[in-house]
Amino acid sequence: MDWNSDGIPDLISGDRSGFFNVFIRDSLGEMTAHKQYQLLDGTVWTVGANSQPAVVDWDNDGMKDVVLGREAYEIRIYLNQTSDTWPVFQDYEPVQAGGAPINLYRVNPYIFDLDGDGLWDLVAGENGGYIHFFRNTGTPGAPEFAAGETLKLEDGTPIRYTFGNAAGSRVGFGDWNNDGVTDFLLGTYEGHVALYLGVEQVGVEEAPPPVPDRFEVGPVPGRPVRFRWALGRPGRLEVFDALGRAVWNRTVAGEGVIVWDGTDESGRRLAAGAYFARLTGGEESRTARLVLAR
């Protein structure tokens, strides 16, 4: 994690007391500073007990944000208020899933695109040793999460690793054995680690082509912007700003092209900058980034 964007990996950590800690590495590889991070108002950043941080660009504005788990049944999102060179944070909002705050004790969040749809998801360990998956159903600039589901083994048994009297599961994903299938490590509160290897599905009938079948946006940057699509059923074309707010939409079907002039539903000219287009057909959708020129 390059915290100060100088090209050198740094280290961030939580701790038992609930602080958010930053260790900056210099060009020689030495840790030159350890800081209990402060919020914008100068107060020391703490969540009470057992802080568990993860870093992600939550709102797709090009700056690091922090997702922070805590002991008291909560995951918080802190949005960066300044720049990616030295992030500054102010207040937080509780992360919700299925329309309600995530309520897990000693929760350990991890950010990973587990379902491979191009949107990062939220995976969380917790005191009971289970692993919870919260699917991102939102947009690149405005994540939303479905209600959690427990990750299971191939035979349907919920994944739960305990050792002694403690669990406190924490996960990390990657391709451990370089076979092209996602694996993950599961750590526990007492420091033990288990490896779970992903299993490639065989003998499964090939799924039908996704809907929509084609979605093209161009030019980028541009104004007007041309949308071209192919849908197997009626669907909806929507444009969102960088904050995830819907600014324009149309009902579409079959194959077609629409030229959008960069105005909202009221005919007001939208500001230049980054936007996101989403084409939805049935239960499937495709998302594309676009940039409106001046």
Side-chain angles (χ1 to χ4, degrees):
M1 157 51 52
D2 182 6
W3 182 254
N4 57 352
S5 300
D6 63 354
I8 303 172
D10 307 306
L11 176 67
I12 65 168
S13 76
D15 61 30
R16 175 73 174 172
S17 299
F19 294 106
F20 179 73
N21 305 288
V22 176
F23 301 80
I24 300 300
R25 189 185 303 271
D26 64 18
S27 59
L28 299 177
E30 300 292 331
M31 293 292 185
T32 59
H34 165 217
K35 180 178 182 180
Q36 289 180 344
Y37 219 72
Q38 295 181 345
L39 298 176
L40 188 60
D41 62 5
T43 58
V44 175
W45 191 351
T46 179
V47 294
N50 288 318
S51 51
Q52 303 287 348
V55 177
V56 64
D57 183 2
W58 183 270
D59 51 4
N60 205 48
D61 63 354
M63 298 191 297
K64 304 177 190 73
D65 306 306
V66 172
V67 179
L68 202 57
R70 63 192 297 248
E71 181 168 304
Y73 297 92
E74 188 180 43
I75 299 177
R76 296 176 173 181
I77 172 63
Y78 292 81
L79 296 179
N80 189 346
Q81 304 293 313
T82 54
S83 72
D84 208 43
T85 303
W86 191 257
V88 175
F89 304 88
Q90 187 168 14
D91 209 346
Y92 71 90
E93 293 184 3
V95 177
Q96 299 197 8
I102 295 174
N103 185 25
L104 297 171
Y105 181 56
R106 284 185 178 169
V107 59
N108 301 304
Y110 190 87
I111 306 299
F112 185 76
D113 181 11
L114 189 58
D115 57 6
D117 65 352
L119 297 172
W120 49 262
D121 306 301
L122 181 61
V123 185
E126 41 90 1
N127 191 67
Y130 296 99
I131 308 300
H132 302 266
F133 169 51
F134 301 92
R135 188 186 309 275
N136 188 347
T137 59
T139 66
E144 296 180 4
F145 301 98
E149 54 186 279
T150 303
L151 293 188
K152 296 179 174 61
L153 296 173
E154 190 178 17
D155 63 3
T157 304
I159 296 174
R160 187 188 187 207
Y161 180 70
T162 60
F163 190 93
N165 297 320
S169 53
R170 186 177 180 91
V171 297
F173 289 87
D175 185 0
W176 182 268
N177 53 357
N178 202 33
D179 64 352
V181 180
T182 299
D183 313 306
F184 75 92
L185 294 171
L186 175 57
T188 70
Y189 189 77
E190 290 185 340
H192 301 277
V193 179
L195 169 64
Y196 289 82
L197 295 177
V199 179
E200 184 177 5
Q201 291 185 321
V202 295
V204 178
E205 292 185 6
E206 185 176 349
V211 178
D213 303 304
R214 185 174 76 244
F215 184 37
E216 300 171 2
V217 178
V220 177
R223 188 193 296 258
V225 176
R226 181 183 299 105
F227 301 109
R228 185 187 302 274
W229 69 86
L231 276 171
R233 67 187 75 180
R236 194 159 190 81
L237 174 60
E238 301 168 284
V239 176
F240 301 86
D241 65 14
L243 297 178
R245 298 173 298 198
V247 296
W248 182 86
N249 68 85
R250 291 292 184 273
T251 299
V252 296
E255 296 189 25
V257 175
I258 285 181
V259 177
W260 176 50
D261 62 0
T263 60
D264 65 13
E265 288 296 327
S266 300
R268 292 188 295 264
R269 181 182 174 89
L270 293 169
Y275 293 81
F276 298 90
R278 181 174 67 190
L279 181 64
T280 304
E283 297 181 355
E284 303 291 337
S285 66
R286 289 192 182 183
T287 302
R289 184 176 184 271
L290 62 97
V291 177
L292 280 181
R294 295 186 182 277

